[in-house]
Structure formats: structure tokens, C-alpha cells
Amino acid sequence: MNSNSNKISWNLYLKKLMGTLEKGRKKTIMRRNRRQPNRLDLRGEISNHIAKIVVAIDISGSISDEEFNVAINEVINIVKNYKYEIKIIECDTKIRRIYKAKNSKDIKARLNTRGGTRFSPVFKYVNNTDTNVLIYFTDGKGEVELEVKPGKYKTLWIISGKANEVSLRNKFGVIKN
């Protein structure tokens, strides 16, 4: 599912992806029960869309504060019409901080660390949650092989800077600049 072509920008891709996320079912009186359609006293079911989004930010110094703030506000503006939960993970060689954000006022000032980048700690964390979408902001320079296999969530790599590739040998997800 590797996509190096930038035919659509990452924000349009995320907008398209948001409508496809499904999280359980909810009862409704507007639909008939499909097993017993003649009984009007039974409720039908429709998909319940709650997007659980994790935004991982490489804080090793490769992404500027301005780039990060513009990108995270873009994510919040895209998902504001849906039911959503956003967790922000700040990481370099390990996860430094995790917090929830409902709007742009909840975004905390980034930690000031400089160092290398490892992708595996984020994937270890996200594999143990019920995340639908992982958005990873990075410069693409990190480890060559992941320690864990990614779970059943969609991964969107957003690469900043001069690089347009992720350093991983086995690429997965959609890569956008």
C-alpha cells in the first residue's frame, strides 16, 4: 500500500479516509431490523463512526514548531465534522509525552529535545490501542527495520524537509510530502 505519488495531498487523503472509519454499531429507529423487517417495534442498526486518531510527532529537531502547528491544526479542522479522539505522541528515540487534544487550544508546547529517531516505540504503543489512523510527522530518517509489525490501522506518513522517503526497508502505509 506504499504510495509515493503525490497526486492528492495528505490533508485530502485524510479527509477521504475519515468517512471510511467504522467503530461498532448503533441502534436507530430510522432503519428497520434486517432480520425481522415487518416488526416496527424492533430497531435497526447503522455504523457508528468514531475516529480514534494518533498523531505521532518526531521531536528530534527535524520538524519546525511552525510546520507542526500548521499540520496539527489542519488535522483538527479535517476531523471536526466527525466524532473523534486525537492522541498526540511526542517521540524521538522513545516516547516522551502522550496527551489528548480536542481542539487547537489543547496542543501543548513541544518538548525541546535533540537526538535520533526511532519509529518502533510509537508502533509498540499504538498496537496496544484501538486506533484507526496513525499520522506520523517525521523527516523520514530513522531505523531501517521495525521491532514490531504494524497493527490493523491505517498509517499516513507525512514527510517534511528534503527527503521524500521513509528509511524503513519494508515500507507500509501512505507516504506524503
Side-chain angles (χ1 to χ4, degrees), residues 60-79:
S60 65
S62 54
I63 296 176
S64 70
D65 288 343
E66 185 180 332
E67 275 182 308
F68 165 67
N69 287 332
V70 168
I72 200 70
N73 283 327
E74 187 82 26
V75 170
I76 289 172
N77 284 332
I78 288 170
V79 302

Side-chain angles (χ1 to χ4, degrees), residues 35 64 114 116-117 126:
R35 300 210 184 269
S64 70
R114 301 288 180 248
T117 302
V126 175

Side-chain angles (χ1 to χ4, degrees), residues 107-161:
I107 298 168
K108 298 178 181 174
R110 283 186 11 193
L111 297 173
N112 190 11
T113 62
R114 301 288 180 248
T117 302
R118 288 184 61 233
F119 305 129
S120 293
V122 172
F123 287 96
K124 280 181 187 172
Y125 173 81
V126 175
N127 282 351
N128 295 324
T129 62
D130 58 346
T131 299
N132 299 111
V133 179
L134 169 63
I135 303 170
Y136 209 125
F137 290 98
T138 182
D139 62 349
K141 297 177 183 121
E143 56 205 312
V144 177
E145 201 68 45
L146 283 178
E147 295 172 14
V148 295
K149 194 173 183 182
K152 295 183 179 181
Y153 44 85
K154 309 247 188 241
T155 304
L156 175 59
W157 297 89
I158 301 175
I159 311 293
S160 73

Side-chain angles (χ1 to χ4, degrees), residues 4-167:
N4 286 330
S5 64
N6 286 318
K7 291 187 171 98
I8 60 173
S9 65
W10 70 268
N11 45 5
L12 291 176
Y13 177 79
L14 180 61
K15 200 175 288 189
K16 179 181 157 195
L17 186 66
M18 287 304 296
T20 65
L21 301 177
E22 186 175 313
K23 182 70 177 160
R25 309 205 55 78
K26 64 181 176 181
K27 298 280 189 183
T28 179
I29 57 172
M30 298 304 288
R31 281 217 183 135
R32 292 183 176 184
N33 185 306
R34 61 179 273 249
R35 300 210 184 269
Q36 297 182 24
N38 295 328
R39 287 195 52 195
L40 300 177
D41 60 321
L42 296 178
R43 293 176 161 208
E45 290 183 337
I46 58 174
S47 299
N48 190 14
H49 295 278
I50 299 175
K52 298 211 176 196
I53 301 167
V54 171
V55 179
I57 298 112
D58 177 3
I59 58 170
S60 65
S62 54
I63 296 176
S64 70
D65 288 343
E66 185 180 332
E67 275 182 308
F68 165 67
N69 287 332
V70 168
I72 200 70
N73 283 327
E74 187 82 26
V75 170
I76 289 172
N77 284 332
I78 288 170
V79 302
K80 71 180 174 192
N81 296 328
Y82 302 92
K83 289 183 182 177
Y84 67 93
E85 292 176 10
I86 293 180
K87 273 189 187 169
I88 297 177
I89 299 176
E90 294 180 0
C91 56
D92 49 16
T93 55
K94 61 183 180 180
I95 294 176
R96 301 288 178 181
R97 179 167 60 180
I98 300 172
Y99 61 93
K100 289 185 179 183
K102 209 51 175 152
N103 54 40
S104 55
K105 293 177 191 135
D106 296 338
I107 298 168
K108 298 178 181 174
R110 283 186 11 193
L111 297 173
N112 190 11
T113 62
R114 301 288 180 248
T117 302
R118 288 184 61 233
F119 305 129
S120 293
V122 172
F123 287 96
K124 280 181 187 172
Y125 173 81
V126 175
N127 282 351
N128 295 324
T129 62
D130 58 346
T131 299
N132 299 111
V133 179
L134 169 63
I135 303 170
Y136 209 125
F137 290 98
T138 182
D139 62 349
K141 297 177 183 121
E143 56 205 312
V144 177
E145 201 68 45
L146 283 178
E147 295 172 14
V148 295
K149 194 173 183 182
K152 295 183 179 181
Y153 44 85
K154 309 247 188 241
T155 304
L156 175 59
W157 297 89
I158 301 175
I159 311 293
S160 73
K162 296 177 181 125
N164 59 0
E165 282 287 318
V166 177
S167 65

